[in-house]
Amino acid sequence: MTDRTEYYSQQYNARASIPDHPYIFTRWLKESMQVRRSQPALFDITYGDASGERLDFFPASRGDAPLLVFIHGGWWRSLDKADFSFLAPAYARAGFNVALTNYTLAPHASIAEIVQQQLRALAWLYRNADKYDFNRDRIVVAGHSAGAHLAAMMMAAHWDIYGSDLPANLIKGGILMSGLYDLDPVRYADFVNVDLKLTEEDVPVLSPALMPQPNPAPFITAYGALESDEFRRQTELIANAWKPNHRADVPLPGLNHLTICDAFADTDHPLYKATLELLTEIQ
């Protein structure tokens, strides 16, 4: 194993650095199961032909409200939208619709194919806004870890080229949490690239930090104070690359790569409040 491979494998293996990660995943699952039993929602809505192309929709209590789209992480190869249902109630109660998207997991799909699936999901949501009674002109995307990479790719998309019926500014804002925005180091993280199979040629077309932000959508970033240097560096990279529209990096003392998601759903936490402020101000 080369020094570079060893370094990046250690830096990006977040689960290995969180001894209680099985407990956290179990807690999320239990909380999400309770939400799915008790909250009004539509589950497994089809947005494409592949089995992974499904989304859940938690409606707001009022019509024509904004839509928050959350994309889950798991290194593009694990977890499920259902595991993150616990995130939805806090935003639905505050008056916002919430959609949780799935995608085909690696190695059954490449990252490029997963990006295409998320493009389909967001385009589908925009086109079906009237049916689900949300404001198509106030769509904000959020993501965690690999999901933050996908959210940033949605912010980097040229939507009017992707679909002639789509506005260039389809995404009105973003919340990027502990994400991966330059994929070059991921090629050397053997524990995950065994499934992702990223190559040098993939990096420029799949790294949002290496792309211009085509539309001035405001966004916030966050990473846990207990995270590795690489997750901090990745966050600083996207914040600097898209600096004109970067509103804030929310400090997260005492949080790790997973507990950041708990903060995102905690109505008393600064991350939730910053997200709510972004959602509220976007017109």
Side-chain angles (χ1 to χ4, degrees), residues 69-76 84 101 103 111 114-115 118 141-156 171 173-183 206-209 219-223 227 231 234-235 238 242 257 260-261:
V69 181
F70 178 82
I71 309 174
H72 75 81
W75 280 112
W76 302 276
F84 294 88
T101 64
Y103 45 86
I111 295 180
I114 293 169
V115 169
Q118 292 307 285
V141 66
H144 168 250
S145 193
H149 163 266
L150 295 169
M153 289 295 287
M154 299 303 100
M155 295 176 67
I171 303 296
I175 302 95
L176 305 179
M177 296 174 282
S178 298
L180 302 132
Y181 313 108
D182 171 13
L183 298 194
L206 293 174
S207 297
F219 69 103
I220 60 176
T221 55
Y223 65 94
E227 297 201 64
F231 280 107
Q234 289 274 1
T235 299
I238 196 70
W242 295 352
H257 188 71
I260 183 175
C261 291

Side-chain angles (χ1 to χ4, degrees), residues 1 7 11 37 55-56 65 78 89 126 185 211 216 220 252 281:
M1 181 180 287
Y7 176 75
Q11 285 284 304
R37 286 193 297 263
L55 61 85
D56 296 341
S78 68
Y126 179 87
M211 305 174 184
I220 60 176
L252 300 175
E281 72 180 46

Side-chain angles (χ1 to χ4, degrees), residues 48-59:
D49 295 332
S51 60
E53 295 183 17
R54 304 289 184 270
L55 61 85
D56 296 341
F57 183 83
F58 292 81

Side-chain angles (χ1 to χ4, degrees), residues 59-251:
S61 58
R62 60 187 176 90
D64 201 40
L67 173 66
L68 174 65
V69 181
F70 178 82
I71 309 174
H72 75 81
W75 280 112
W76 302 276
R77 64 177 184 171
S78 68
L79 303 179
D80 186 275
K81 60 180 172 49
D83 301 326
F84 294 88
S85 298
F86 75 93
L87 300 175
Y91 294 98
R93 285 195 298 268
F96 303 99
N97 300 281
V98 179
L100 308 176
T101 64
N102 256 7
Y103 45 86
T104 303
L105 299 175
H108 303 291
S110 66
I111 295 180
E113 289 168 335
I114 293 169
V115 169
Q116 287 294 320
Q117 290 183 329
Q118 292 307 285
L119 291 170
R120 281 194 286 276
L122 270 293
W124 185 94
L125 283 162
Y126 179 87
R127 290 162 177 156
N128 286 275
D130 291 341
K131 181 177 180 180
Y132 294 95
D133 197 18
F134 65 84
N135 189 335
R136 62 166 46 88
D137 296 321
R138 297 180 70 189
I139 297 175
V140 173
V141 66
H144 168 250
S145 193
H149 163 266
L150 295 169
M153 289 295 287
M154 299 303 100
M155 295 176 67
H158 293 265
W159 289 101
D160 52 337
I161 297 175
Y162 181 75
S164 60
D165 61 323
L166 302 176
N169 61 344
L170 188 149
I171 303 296
K172 295 302 195 296
I175 302 95
L176 305 179
M177 296 174 282
S178 298
L180 302 132
Y181 313 108
D182 171 13
L183 298 194
D184 187 62
V186 180
R187 296 192 295 123
Y188 303 101
D190 282 352
F191 78 98
V192 66
N193 205 40
V194 64
D195 288 329
L196 302 179
K197 296 178 174 59
L198 281 168
T199 68
E200 185 177 1
E201 290 72 28
D202 293 325
V203 170
V205 295
L206 293 174
S207 297
L210 306 182
M211 305 174 184
Q213 187 184 5
N215 297 290
F219 69 103
I220 60 176
T221 55
Y223 65 94
L226 302 181
E227 297 201 64
S228 70
D229 291 342
E230 270 298 288
F231 280 107
R232 173 185 54 79
R233 186 189 69 83
Q234 289 274 1
T235 299
E236 292 173 350
L237 197 62
I238 196 70
N240 289 328
W242 295 352
K243 189 172 183 178
N245 300 310
H246 183 228
R247 290 291 178 82
D249 183 75
V250 182

